Amino acid sequence: MYHRVADLDVDPWELAVTEEHFESQLRHLAVEWNPTPLRSIALERPLLTRGRPKVAVTFDDGYVDNLERAVPILERYEIPATIFITTDTIDRPGEFWWDRLEHIFLATADLPPHLPDEAAALLGDNPVVGSADLAAVQAGPSWRAWEPYQHPRHGLYRRLWQALFDCAGEERTRVIDTLSVWAGHRPEGRGSHRTLDRAQLVELAAHPLVDCQAHSTDHSPLPTLTAADQLTALRDSRARLEALIGGDIYGFAYPHGAISPATLRLAAEAGYTYCCTTHTGPVHRSTPDHAIPRCGVGDWAAPEFEAQLCRWWGGEG
Ligand SMILES: [Zn+2]
């Protein structure tokens, strides 16, 4: 499971792999493994062919670097990839909400002294913000969102991330829009964090190595919604993507990997043939079609990537 092929200064969720590492990772897959379309692994399940384990490459979200940087490397090694697309940013250009939040709190030195009321209400208090030394915020080994805070800005970022994760899609958009204006940011966002526009999505979806499947409209974690709203979200995601690229959409990746037993049942009811989680592990013959695990690939050089693949495969790789 990948998200981005990019070189970022700040990457709190470890979403980006550099081009150099992505290339060496794919070279290893091409030589030692059996790269296969995800659909074949999810639905057919013979997992070994000619002694080499099948592996599928996936990307989530729909960053423009998937088209501009990942595709040329996929072509070089003739490796297929499934790309799960969040459609709201296709319809409304700008960064994903988690990137906008990172831009505000981890990459903007001067902010007003207090949060805007909407954000303070979401947190239940109004901590001091103001200016920060970005060298200190971004210092040392890049801070990851699951690590202890090294700077007050990390704490603010993480608390607001959780509050936005937990609230409904429209409120999340309203609060992040307010925060962006408060921080003095432009709605179109940074060039380094561009998402696909419609023409780019159509180009990506038409590529013979690429299969575009669904990843929701607004990236809301499904278990935070009522059952009726989950079903609507699952159906809307497929309908919107079908309207954008045509064809038959049958696969889904759960936003943030968030699932509940009801979510799995509703995904089947919504008509998806398979769905992917972010749980780590290989696919077995008995793996449920609507809970296909994946392994998140970090920005690793080839030796670490190889060691991780073998660990994930259970020592048989
Ligand atoms: Zn996602």
Side-chain angles (χ1 to χ4, degrees), residues 3 15 59-63 84 86 96 98 215-216 219 253-257 278 294:
H3 292 79
L15 297 182
F59 281 85
D60 280 7
D61 298 333
Y63 286 95
F84 294 101
T86 299
F96 289 111
W98 54 89
H215 191 44
S216 82
H219 212 277
Y254 300 107
H256 304 282
T278 54
R294 291 181 294 170

Side-chain angles (χ1 to χ4, degrees), residues 165-168 172 220-226 230:
F165 177 93
D166 289 336
C167 70
R172 186 182 309 119
S220 285
L222 292 177
T224 63
L225 309 176
T226 64
Q230 288 192 51

